[in-house]
Amino acid sequence: MTLSAPAPGRNRQWLVKRNPELDELVGPTHFDWVEVARPSPGPGQILLRTLCLGTSPAQRGYISKTKSMHEKAPLGSVMRGRGVTEVVESRHSGYAPGEQVIATVGWQDYAVVTPVTDGVLSTRKLPNTGLPPALHLGILGAAGLTAYFGLTDVGDVRKGDTVVISAGAGGIGSCAIQIARCLGAGQIVGIAGSEEKCTWMTDYLGATAAINYKRED
């Protein structure tokens, strides 16, 4: 989603209020909407203004009570998330005001970040391509890169191959189906957990076939 401009000197935040139950949809009742003073960076840090925030089903794992691969966001903390941002103020020699950066900033207007140079949560400058910033949270971001290199470097997909993609309706899987088409795969089978998702994979993404794992073996 894209954020509107905050009031001068202020910072709006979504704080984690409570954890969702197993069968409960995540919504506004799980968060508190607060407004605080805009922070300032310390030595080696940068102040970032959020332009676009990425959201995905994986973020449920940050606040759910169930066990997951994700580190939990404590109650009362800013909801975790990555976004495309603009450097507002810099006390780091590698970053200048006006540069666009993708970073883990949380659900808020402003965040003070100490740049991380490696790992999946690294702070990364964006090239000046003129493309919409939100693309760097999807097809040009971690989801698209994972799908592309998973198919080309790991899967070594060749023209005519049969490709089976689990979670084919998810962020990475939906990219993988389309990339497999571009690579010339012969049969592309997506796996998902509902008839609606299966129809979406075949009719919209271009999968050859789809398997609803809740109904089929």
Side-chain angles (χ1 to χ4, degrees), residues 17 19 28 31 45 49 51 68-69 72-73 75 78 82 95 101 122 131 135-136 146 171 186 194 200 204 211 214:
K17 182 178 181 179
N19 305 115
F31 304 96
Q45 295 181 323
R49 181 172 74 87
L51 303 178
S68 74
M69 61 182 288
K72 300 299 182 180
L75 297 181
V78 176
R82 283 176 69 77
Y95 295 83
V101 173
S122 63
L131 295 171
L135 288 179
H136 294 281
T146 301
S194 73
W200 186 66
Y204 184 76
I211 296 173
K214 293 182 179 179

Side-chain angles (χ1 to χ4, degrees), residues 139-190:
I139 191 64
L140 298 182
L145 293 174
T146 301
Y148 178 80
F149 289 106
L151 289 172
T152 58
D153 282 18
V154 180
D156 193 24
V157 173
R158 306 292 180 87
K159 187 175 182 179
D161 282 352
T162 296
V163 179
V164 180
I165 300 171
S166 62
I172 296 172
S174 60
C175 293
I177 289 175
Q178 296 171 83
I179 293 171
R181 288 177 56 196
C182 294
L183 295 173
Q187 299 289 320
I188 305 170
V189 182

